[in-house]
Amino acid sequence: MSVKLIDRYLSEFISEHEYQNIQPQVSAAHHLLRSKSGVGNDFLGWVTLPEDYDKEEFARIKSAAEQIRKSCDIFIAIGIGGSYLGARAVIEFLKSPNYNNIKKDTPDIYFAGCDISAASISELLEICEGKDICINVISKSGTTTEPAVAFRVFREMLEKKYGKEEAKNRIFVTTDREKGTLKNFADKVGYQTFVVPDDVGGRFSVLTAVGLLPIAVAGIDIDMLMRGARDAQIKYCDEKTENNDAYKYAAIRNILYRKGKTTEILVGYESYSRMMNEWWKQLFGESEGKDGRGIFPASVIFSTDLHSLGQYIQQGMRNLFETVVSVGNSGAVFTVPDDPDNIDGLNFLSGVELDKIKKIAMQGTLLAHVDGGVPNILIELEDRSAYSLGYFIYFMELACAVSGYMLGVNPFNQPGVEAYKKNMFALLGKPGYEDIREQLQKRL
Ligand code: PA5
């Protein structure tokens, strides 16, 4: 098993009978999900996706990735939220947070359209000077302002550089199968397109073309990623929490939430986990935070954040719990060098592997935080491989859906995100929003 949930550090916070008491609610959520009778049931495509994905498109993703790798120095993935976080998280986790600076035979990858920043767009245009470029614009709705603006900028850059015909071969579009501004535009101009399936929402879409094309461009084995997710899909079918760690995680979260633990901190011990934490925050935050409910998802990277947020976690408000993700074999080995003079007094660590020191730091922190009143869930990932990460992604998606149903919300919509978009469109003067513009302006 590539993902293991350890509940040993929860014994002071959750009693055995509480797991039994919550089982009927887990079973109810399980049945809603599996019978597709719960709210948001038209967005359940991700449940069987690891087995049922479009094989023809998967092959097209691989060949487009190969074409991109051969024809550019820089690949720009344009998207926001679920249309970029998964790809970036997987690339940083499996390759490196310094991916663009490591030795490699794949293009540098930049992400654009995930903010509104003159500084970052100008900087990226400058970085692109004199380089060969391909872009992949990713937007399910095809109307999100941030990526739409970035797409216009980089499309214009490509057309100026290569001419319209050649630019066409360097622009890849991932969007709805048949509708939306972006789809219409892509068909009209003749860009190669990939599909965000109707029944898969943005934050559940990393294992579709949304995530897979950029991930494949980075040279990551997407077959192994899907295989890990598929094995997790097979593994996590049983409704009983004692046989299903994904459901057990959902149950634990709900038990703790009802005891006032309203903030969950996802803890990583490697900087390559930082963007995976961001992906997880979107997955749970957007799925559960509604109707005045939901656990607030936060994240840290230790040891770094032990010297900033560590104090709060140890002794601040006791509404926290932590979920620690520990990655087994990372593939790198490094030992502390010996110094015969021992001026720094560190020779008690000479020859000790950094992974061992990290593990002990983790154990010490876990116990300290538990002593400080912070329940700790431990999730062990077998290794830093595409297979294990695919497994982990599916684990989290499933846990999130079941946890959301247990909370009593629709885990698959995001009405709160639409609220800001509507106001922004109105204030920017987009046609069709005239009626609310005036009211909003009065309040500013
Ligand atoms: O999870 C979601 O649905 C959102 O985060 C979307 O991914 C995000 O808002 C981007 O939307 P779109 O892909 O339509 O541009």
Side-chain angles (χ1 to χ4, degrees):
M1 217 193 309
S2 277
V3 173
K4 222 162 112 189
L5 182 132
I6 316 276
D7 61 7
R8 167 160 84 254
Y9 306 101
L10 293 167
S11 56
E12 290 173 33
F13 306 95
I14 302 178
S15 317
E16 208 40 54
H17 71 268
E18 293 180 89
Y19 291 112
Q20 289 156 19
N21 289 351
I22 206 161
Q23 180 60 55
Q25 290 164 52
V26 176
S27 296
H30 165 85
H31 289 295
L32 284 178
L33 190 74
R34 304 292 169 172
S35 64
K36 298 194 171 185
S37 55
V39 282
N41 56 7
D42 40 355
F43 284 100
L44 295 178
W46 59 271
V47 177
T48 50
L49 185 77
E51 270 186 340
D52 287 347
Y53 61 90
D54 180 340
K55 310 290 184 302
E56 181 273 329
E57 180 173 72
F58 194 78
R60 247 177 0 98
I61 290 172
K62 284 188 187 168
S63 68
E66 204 183 319
Q67 181 194 332
I68 292 166
R69 283 198 297 266
K70 280 188 195 143
S71 53
C72 70
D73 309 303
I74 291 179
F75 171 73
I76 305 172
I78 299 173
I80 193 165
S83 290
Y84 106 99
L85 275 168
R88 185 161 177 192
V90 171
I91 293 167
E92 293 204 5
F93 188 96
L94 292 175
K95 290 288 179 175
S96 166
N98 305 310
Y99 167 83
N100 285 346
N101 299 315
I102 59 173
K103 270 193 206 150
K104 59 187 184 306
D105 53 8
T106 49
D108 285 354
I109 299 181
Y110 289 90
F111 294 89
C114 43
D115 59 10
I116 307 172
S117 163
S120 53
I121 217 154
S122 316
E123 184 179 272
L124 186 49
L125 281 169
E126 206 176 303
I127 291 169
C128 287
E129 276 170 26
K131 308 274 185 177
D132 277 316
I133 315 290
C134 286
I135 64 182
N136 177 202
V137 56
I138 309 159
S139 177
K140 184 172 181 172
S141 62
T143 54
T144 310
T145 312
E146 292 85 346
V149 169
F151 182 42
R152 186 181 272 202
V153 171
F154 289 104
R155 191 177 70 234
E156 190 186 89
M157 180 196 75
L158 283 192
E159 288 175 353
K160 272 197 193 136
K161 189 175 168 81
Y162 298 104
K164 282 199 177 216
E165 270 315 296
E166 172 57 13
K168 247 194 249 178
N169 300 325
R170 294 176 171 274
I171 295 175
F172 299 82
V173 175
T174 307
T175 189
D176 190 86
R177 189 182 302 278
E178 44 192 36
K179 56 180 192 302
T181 316
L182 188 56
K183 175 64 181 161
N184 296 339
F185 183 43
D187 286 348
K188 197 167 156 210
V189 182
Y191 300 135
Q192 183 168 178
T193 59
F194 297 92
V195 172
V196 192
D198 286 344
D199 55 358
V200 180
R203 58 192 173 276
F204 289 84
S205 69
V206 54
L207 300 176
T208 70
V210 170
L212 294 177
L213 181 56
I215 291 168
V217 170
I220 290 165
D221 186 342
I222 57 173
D223 285 295
M224 289 311 283
L225 196 69
M226 293 305 279
R227 196 172 303 167
R230 186 206 57 192
D231 287 355
Q233 183 193 326
I234 295 166
K235 172 78 189 161
Y236 300 125
C237 278
D238 196 317
E239 72 185 74
K240 295 270 181 250
T241 55
E242 63 259 36
N243 303 322
N244 188 329
D245 276 356
Y247 286 8
K248 185 157 192 177
Y249 176 50
I252 292 168
R253 298 178 81 253
N254 277 272
I255 294 171
L256 293 173
Y257 177 63
R258 291 168 203 183
K259 293 182 178 197
K261 303 293 183 191
T262 53
T263 295
E264 177 178 14
I265 305 174
L266 193 73
V267 181
Y269 272 82
E270 293 276 358
S271 53
Y272 61 68
S273 294
R274 194 179 302 278
M275 286 308 296
M276 211 59 226
N277 287 357
E278 297 301 317
W279 170 83
W280 173 91
K281 277 178 353 198
Q282 189 211 359
L283 180 67
F284 280 83
E286 229 172 60
S287 300
E288 292 192 321
K290 54 197 71 157
D291 304 331
R293 291 178 227 180
I295 296 169
F296 182 79
S299 69
V300 290
I301 297 293
F302 289 164
S303 291
T304 311
D305 293 324
L306 280 173
H307 295 261
S308 59
L309 291 172
Q311 169 60 38
Y312 190 104
I313 297 170
Q314 188 69 44
Q315 294 184 319
M317 223 167 115
R318 299 300 72 191
N319 62 338
L320 311 173
F321 67 100
E322 290 176 296
T323 298
V324 180
V325 179
S326 157
V327 184
N329 184 2
S330 72
V333 180
F334 202 93
T335 53
V336 178
D338 186 49
D339 176 2
D341 297 333
N342 195 25
I343 300 167
D344 53 11
L346 215 58
N347 272 3
F348 72 104
L349 290 177
S350 292
V352 181
E353 285 186 12
L354 286 193
D355 270 1
K356 187 173 174 204
I357 300 176
K358 180 181 73 180
K359 190 167 178 196
I360 289 170
M362 185 184 86
Q363 290 169 336
T365 308
L366 256 159
L367 297 179
H369 288 184
V370 166
D371 289 345
V374 180
N376 265 247
I377 304 165
L378 178 58
I379 294 179
E380 287 181 347
L381 223 72
E382 194 176 349
D383 53 23
R384 188 187 176 193
S385 67
Y387 177 87
S388 291
L389 191 59
Y391 208 107
F392 177 78
I393 286 170
Y394 191 86
F395 173 100
M396 284 297 177
E397 289 180 347
L398 185 63
C400 177
V402 168
S403 183
Y405 274 153
M406 291 174 72
L407 193 67
V409 300
N410 176 353
F412 307 111
N413 66 0
Q414 53 283 329
V417 181
E418 301 312 317
Y420 107 86
K421 281 192 191 174
K422 197 174 72 187
N423 284 358
M424 186 168 114
F425 285 152
L427 290 168
L428 283 171
K430 187 172 175 169
Y433 292 85
E434 295 76 7
D435 50 337
I436 52 170
R437 186 180 322 147
E438 212 177 310
Q439 298 161 26
L440 290 173
Q441 272 167 342
K442 273 190 207 142
R443 289 170 53 205
L444 284 175

